[in-house]
Amino acid sequence: MLEGSLARLGYAQSRLRRHSAEAGEGAVPPLDTPDAAWVLFAGDRVVLRREPATALLTPEMVARAPALAAPLFLGRFDGRPVFAAAIEPASDDLADGESHRSLDLRSLAAEGAVEADELGLLATAKSLLVWHARNGFCANCGTPSQPAAGGFRRDCQACGTHHFPRTDPVVIMLVRRGETCLLGRAPRFKEGMYSCLAGFLEPGETVEDAVRRETREEAGIRVGGVRYLASQPWPFPASLMLGCVAEGLDETITIDPAELADARWFHRAEVARLIAGTHPEGLSVPPPMAIAHLLMRAFVDGAA
């Protein structure tokens, strides 16, 4: 059962043979390569071809786009070089027609609007494009830096510092206690939706200790054993969700109202109804593309 849930995780599958910062500029093909595929982001929205449904655009389509920000070379997808670029959100009318449309990355994954193994490629593109947009200056000396290695690095010509894209690790945990598990509602969640607790790792912290700290801070529950289960890229803008199962040592919940609007213990059978959408209180959980859903299903199926 766990394998089936893993297959539904958004952004976790990719056929991209990614470029590397160690490969050097000589490995980057020219932008006018005839069989190249392109990914375009207009703000947070991806330009999509309707038929066949894909985010991989042809050079002819991209030629209609306005001036592109510095294109990135992501690597190769089924042997084809793949480039990514950002266009102004106002240029979204590029996709306003019968042949193309645009969709934000979260909705794209939830709807299954493209093949699952394109989502990992789009996660790479989104995270890299956002990183370049936010890191135009050298953090060491303040001089403007330049994209290098196809976009997998930025170089400072003044002080020689190399800068590499960052990924922010986040622990997300299903805390269980016997036949129950702990789920919470963040204030930003839609009404009635419960999910697993989560939080960013801090410098010098292990995954296990981050699970224990975040659970204690948010819900007042002490945690014993922690086991890693699965991970998921989360390109909002560049996180890696580290899914864990943890053993709760306390029963009494004391929430941090700045982090949670509510938290409660749910029985295994009740979690099954949450997943099925048949909970008597109308409560819900994140969709199957989210790793929280996988953790909850693993608990229901006895795989946690």
Side-chain angles (χ1 to χ4, degrees), residues 31-76:
L31 295 177
D32 59 358
T33 301
D35 67 339
W38 284 78
V39 172
L40 292 186
F41 275 84
D44 288 331
R45 301 178 71 85
V46 186
V47 178
L48 301 173
R49 184 177 174 184
R50 292 182 183 272
E51 187 61 41
T54 181
L56 300 177
L57 308 179
T58 64
E60 291 75 21
M61 169 63 183
V62 175
R64 295 167 42 198
L68 306 176
L72 313 177
F73 174 55
L74 303 182
R76 294 184 181 272

Side-chain angles (χ1 to χ4, degrees), residues 107-127:
S107 299
L108 191 152
E111 294 180 14
V114 298
E115 290 186 11
D117 50 18
E118 278 191 28
L119 290 175
L121 180 153
L122 292 174
T124 299
K126 169 73 178 303
S127 297

Side-chain angles (χ1 to χ4, degrees), residues 9-10 30 44 89 94 129-130 146 152 171 173 182 189 241 246-247 256 266 270 299:
L9 272 185
D44 288 331
L94 179 73
L129 287 168
V130 170
Q146 302 300 320
F152 280 80
V171 291
M173 49 278 185
L182 177 66
F189 285 3
M241 308 297 289
E247 194 67 28
D256 176 358
F266 289 84
E270 196 176 6
F299 172 67

